[in-house]
Amino acid sequence: MDIKRLIQDDDAVSPVIGVILMVAITVILAAVIASFVLGLGDQAQQATPQASFSWEYEGGGTETLTVTHDGGDSIEAQELYVRGDFDYATSSAAWTNWSSLSPSSEVTAGNSISPNAGTQYELRVVYEPVEGDTSATLSEDSGPDA
């Protein structure tokens, strides 16, 4: 075996493979940079807000139900609905029906409404974005006689 010949023989390195690898790395790097610059990853999924609501029912002749946003994300008033059975009558109404907030203002912690629900209600607070076709139930409750 000739050691000199083995050291000087560089036919095993193919310039074609090197060029292909450089082009592939350049294309992948350009795609990653373009996705960050154009913000394509931000449009992938619409996030449902994380918010908690409390339900307080007071009976004794003057039945009142109060739904309060306790904390979490603030949500546009026009994107919140109260849906369900109001004394066996199924209905859906926007948060703004029982609030002095304008549709473009935000429901934040401490905001509350008092829907006329009676004692036999089964209600849900539903988030439905204006630009989307999906909805998510954020909270639900039922009355003492439901």
Side-chain angles (χ1 to χ4, degrees):
M1 181 171 207
D2 188 13
I3 299 284
K4 267 186 177 183
R5 185 172 173 215
L6 187 61
I7 293 173
Q8 292 175 350
D9 190 13
D10 60 352
D11 289 341
V13 178
S14 173
V16 174
I17 293 175
V19 169
I20 290 173
L21 287 174
M22 291 298 283
V23 169
I25 290 172
T26 304
V27 168
I28 291 172
L29 188 61
V32 169
I33 291 172
S35 69
F36 281 118
V37 169
L38 297 176
L40 298 177
D42 297 339
Q43 300 172 3
Q45 197 172 32
Q46 212 172 42
T48 302
Q50 300 296 315
S52 63
F53 293 85
S54 64
W55 301 75
E56 187 176 327
Y57 174 79
E58 292 182 25
T62 59
E63 284 81 14
T64 54
L65 172 67
T66 305
V67 183
T68 305
H69 182 284
D70 286 336
D73 296 334
S74 57
I75 306 165
E76 282 190 45
Q78 65 185 351
E79 297 179 332
L80 278 181
Y81 294 88
V82 178
R83 295 187 175 144
D85 296 331
F86 295 83
D87 283 336
Y88 298 115
T90 302
S91 182
S92 174
W95 182 275
T96 54
N97 284 16
W98 298 288
S99 172
S100 61
L101 296 174
S102 69
S104 61
S105 60
E106 293 193 342
V107 177
T108 58
N111 291 123
S112 62
I113 59 170
S114 294
N116 303 324
T119 61
Q120 301 171 350
Y121 65 88
E122 290 186 23
L123 301 176
R124 300 178 317 274
V125 174
V126 177
Y127 168 74
E128 188 173 307
V130 174
E131 66 276 350
D133 58 352
T134 61
S135 65
T137 299
L138 301 178
S139 182
E140 57 189 324
D141 191 47
S142 59
D145 294 337

